[in-house]
Amino acid sequence: MEAEVSQSHREQNEEKEEPVDSFQVVSTKMIQPTSLKDPKLEKLKEALLDWINGTLKAEHIVVQSLDEDLYDGLVLHHLLAHLAGVRLSLEEVALSGSAQIRKLEAVLRELDKRLDERRSDSRWDVSRIHKKDLLATLHLLVAMATRFQPDLALPSDVKVQVLVTEVRGKGIHCDVQTEVLTGGSSNEENPSSTKGGADPVEQLLKLDPHKVAAAKKAMADFVNRSLASLGLRVSDVDKQFSDGVILLLLIGQLEGFFVPLCEFSLTPVNAEEMLRNVTFALSLLAHAGLEVPSVQPQDVVAQDVGATLNVLYALFRKHARQDEKTSVEFL
């Protein structure tokens, strides 16, 4: 009988949570909504779904949702049996929450023996999988696919922005981090390569200094008009975007994003906080369809003029009025 996992295993008994000690640090991770809409992430999820359903087709198991359909251990147990030849003496369908957790513990214990034991961070665990944590589930499935079917064509260079929330006593600390789900590929074409034309900003920086200065002034005027309602003003295009703060506010104004203060450092004090701000800003650009693949967050933080101008130019091309465009048409 076909086991329609997405329908038959989504109900579970809610467990009562233990009270949190006032001195205990409780940390949670959640993929940012902007990253959930990333086409690369969508392709990764589709590839993993196809892999699971293809692997378990003979057993008439159909998975429709990665986070919703793997929490009870049934699918993972079947994958363990098919991929590693290990079938444990476990009940086929665990109905109660406690039974599901016991099953997950046994399955993950066997999987962890066969996966990369050198991983320094706990990218998945029983609790997170059972709570239908998509990030933990993706990390686990990618590790399984890489270990048991290394020739599987998964999308490369898939990264997500993750909101990390820590409850410390009576305080809450929020941070945004980048997590890598799949690595890059040396065979991928560089979208910023000479194919399709030279990088306009790279060409600009080869021009006479007065033309470069004119372009920077046009960019600064565009930014200042966009941020006028916030009472902010930019005078040095080379340096004032390196901490990511003005860049995030600019993107928010132009793209209509509301960026909660807990998601970035308003007054970054070190390079790490600056890097997180700029990384978050670039993820917002990608969400708005303004990817600048030739730009790395660390380049903007390091005040690389070309990287900073590339980001600003992407916004300028989309949002500048026609009369503004004439002043930098040489770009």
Side-chain angles (χ1 to χ4, degrees):
M1 187 175 82
E2 180 169 323
E4 189 72 20
V5 179
S6 61
Q7 296 178 359
S8 62
H9 295 320
R10 291 184 182 178
E11 295 184 359
Q12 63 174 317
N13 295 335
E14 296 294 332
E15 302 286 337
K16 292 184 178 181
E17 296 184 358
E18 295 292 332
V20 177
D21 187 280
S22 60
F23 296 102
Q24 182 182 354
V25 177
V26 179
S27 178
T28 60
K29 288 184 177 183
M30 180 181 69
I31 299 177
Q32 292 281 70
T34 51
S35 287
L36 287 173
K37 298 178 182 179
D38 189 328
K40 282 190 174 183
L41 179 61
E42 289 297 323
K43 289 181 179 179
L44 175 62
K45 290 166 67 177
E46 290 175 9
L48 291 170
L49 275 173
D50 290 343
W51 172 62
I52 293 171
N53 288 328
T55 301
L56 302 180
K57 183 177 180 179
E59 301 180 49
H60 304 290
I61 291 179
V62 179
V63 174
Q64 295 182 353
S65 172
L66 295 180
D67 46 344
E68 291 287 339
D69 294 343
L70 276 73
Y71 75 93
D72 61 358
L74 184 148
V75 173
L76 290 175
H77 187 203
H78 280 269
L79 285 173
L80 175 65
H82 186 90
L83 298 171
V86 177
R87 183 169 291 277
L88 305 173
S89 299
L90 300 169
E91 54 189 311
E92 177 66 6
V93 179
L95 296 178
S96 69
S98 57
Q100 291 163 3
I101 290 175
R102 286 195 301 271
K103 184 170 184 174
L104 272 173
E105 285 176 340
V107 172
L108 290 182
R109 185 162 52 245
E110 291 299 320
L111 279 173
D112 282 345
K113 291 177 182 178
R114 292 158 177 81
L115 299 178
D116 186 3
E117 297 180 1
R118 295 171 296 176
R119 58 190 177 94
S120 58
D121 60 323
S122 180
R123 292 173 289 173
W124 62 81
D125 56 36
V126 172
S127 175
R128 293 177 67 189
I129 299 296
H130 189 252
K131 290 178 180 178
K132 306 179 183 180
D133 185 308
L134 177 60
L135 180 64
T137 304
L138 286 171
H139 275 309
L140 173 60
L141 292 174
V142 168
M144 290 174 64
T146 303
R147 167 64 179 83
F148 296 114
Q149 194 169 342
D151 59 339
L152 182 66
L154 294 179
S156 62
D157 197 30
V158 181
K159 303 175 183 177
V160 291
Q161 297 297 306
V162 177
L163 177 63
V164 181
T165 304
E166 290 185 350
V167 179
R168 302 172 178 173
K170 295 183 179 179
I172 298 178
H173 175 74
C174 296
D175 194 11
V176 176
Q177 300 175 0
T178 301
E179 288 209 19
V180 177
L181 293 172
T182 65
S185 171
S186 59
N187 295 323
E188 285 189 322
E189 289 186 0
N190 183 354
S192 64
S193 65
T194 56
K195 187 176 182 179
D199 183 341
V201 171
E202 182 180 339
Q203 295 302 306
L204 163 68
L205 295 176
K206 295 178 181 179
L207 299 178
D208 294 336
H210 73 278
K211 289 189 176 182
V212 176
K216 288 181 180 180
K217 183 180 184 304
M219 291 293 181
D221 291 343
F222 161 68
V223 171
N224 289 334
R225 276 189 286 272
S226 303
L227 295 178
S229 62
L230 300 180
L232 297 175
R233 184 169 183 79
V234 169
S235 58
D236 191 337
V237 171
D238 294 0
K239 298 179 180 180
Q240 286 184 263
F241 295 92
S242 63
D243 63 4
V245 175
I246 292 180
L247 185 57
L248 279 167
L249 295 174
L250 176 65
I251 294 171
Q253 286 291 100
L254 293 174
E255 296 293 337
F257 291 137
F258 172 70
V259 185
L261 293 180
C262 72
E263 296 193 6
F264 71 101
S265 300
L266 187 60
T267 55
V269 296
N270 54 47
E272 183 180 2
E273 292 182 350
M274 294 179 185
L275 184 62
R276 287 173 183 161
N277 279 357
V278 175
T279 300
F280 184 32
L282 293 181
S283 74
L284 291 180
L285 281 181
H287 174 68
L290 295 173
E291 290 189 82
V292 278
S294 60
V295 175
Q296 298 299 316
Q298 56 267 29
D299 294 335
V300 178
V301 174
Q303 299 180 2
D304 180 284
V305 178
T308 303
L309 286 178
N310 261 306
V311 173
L312 295 178
Y313 183 49
L315 289 165
F316 181 90
R317 282 187 303 175
K318 180 178 180 180
H319 295 284
R321 299 192 302 269
Q322 187 60 43
D323 60 331
E324 292 172 342
K325 291 180 181 179
T326 58
S327 64
V328 287
E329 59 185 3
F330 49 87
L331 281 176

